[in-house]
């Protein structure tokens, strides 16, 4: 990220600083002392400013790193929630599909049962109608006689206004 400065490596604290070399005139006057005190205050101010800058820079880097970690964690949570949501949605869709399928089968069974009942009723109606049609439109009458080795068959078929009569002698194969 950036280079961090550590002020503990260099001793730049000027508090309590006394010059080691005396004034060339031999006396330290009040003006010199005031000037030295102002320089000392300025140096302390500059050191405080520099240390504050270093602390603020460190705090900024720490805050940025924390923000990056929080953002990464929030993205992970969003992905996890999305996965859970998708899983629950798929589960719900499967349950809905199963319910719809079951309802469809039940409706199909009910309709098939009704169809079978109607088909049975239709067949009964057809049987009675055919019997009625056969008896009202025409009829078949016949008789037969069996004599020694032949069958005498007489049929009379009536179909409405038409009539047909059939008489036939059929020899029987009787061996003696």
């Amino acid at each position: 990220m950036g280079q961090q400065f550590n002020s503990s490596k260099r001793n730049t604290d000027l508090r309590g600083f006394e010059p080691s070399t005396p004034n060339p005139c031999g006396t330290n006057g009040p003006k010199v002392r005031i000037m030295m005190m102002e320089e000392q205050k300025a140096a302390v101010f500059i050191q405080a400013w520099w240390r504050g800058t270093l602390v603020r820079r460190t705090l900024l880097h720490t805050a940025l790193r924390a923000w990056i970690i929080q953002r990464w964690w929030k993205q992970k949570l969003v992905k996890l929630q999305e996965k859970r949501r998708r899983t629950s949605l798929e589960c719900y869709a499967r349950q809905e599909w199963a319910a719809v399928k079951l309802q469809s089968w039940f409706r199909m069974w009910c309709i098939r049962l009704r169809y079978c009942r109607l088909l049975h009723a239709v067949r009964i109606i057809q049987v009675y109608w055919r019997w009625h049609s056969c008896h009202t439109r025409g009829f078949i009458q016949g008789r037969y006689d069996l004599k020694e080795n032949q069958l005498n068959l007489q049929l009379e078929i009536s179909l409405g206004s038409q009539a047909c009569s059939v008489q036939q002698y059929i020899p029987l194969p009787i061996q003696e």
Side-chain angles (χ1 to χ4, degrees), residues 59-124:
L59 288 175
L60 178 66
H61 287 291
T62 305
L64 286 174
R65 288 182 183 122
W67 179 76
I68 290 170
I69 292 170
Q70 288 172 354
R71 186 171 170 102
W72 172 81
W73 180 245
K74 285 178 184 176
Q75 287 176 349
K76 285 294 184 184
L77 285 179
V78 165
K79 286 180 183 179
L80 183 64
Q81 287 174 345
E82 178 67 23
K83 186 177 179 181
R84 285 180 184 165
R85 187 188 66 80
R86 184 178 302 274
T87 303
S88 65
L89 185 63
E90 288 173 357
C91 181
Y92 174 76
R94 276 194 302 269
Q95 288 174 351
E96 283 293 313
W97 179 84
V100 167
K101 197 70 165 174
L102 190 62
Q103 291 169 353
S104 162
W105 286 343
F106 180 76
R107 283 192 301 269
M108 179 189 69
W109 179 77
C110 288
I111 290 172
R112 187 176 186 286
L113 187 65
R114 185 169 182 224
Y115 171 76
C116 288
R117 286 179 187 157
L118 288 174
L119 188 62
H120 182 68
V122 164
R123 287 181 180 157
I124 289 174

Side-chain angles (χ1 to χ4, degrees), residues 139-165:
F139 61 90
I140 299 174
Q141 284 185 339
R143 67 186 169 128
Y144 66 94
D145 290 328
L146 188 58
K147 295 183 180 175
E148 298 177 6
N149 63 352
Q150 71 179 17
L151 174 67
N152 184 13
L153 183 64
Q154 291 180 348
L155 292 176
E156 187 175 324
I157 303 171
S158 281
L159 295 174
S161 63
Q162 298 176 3
C164 178
S165 181

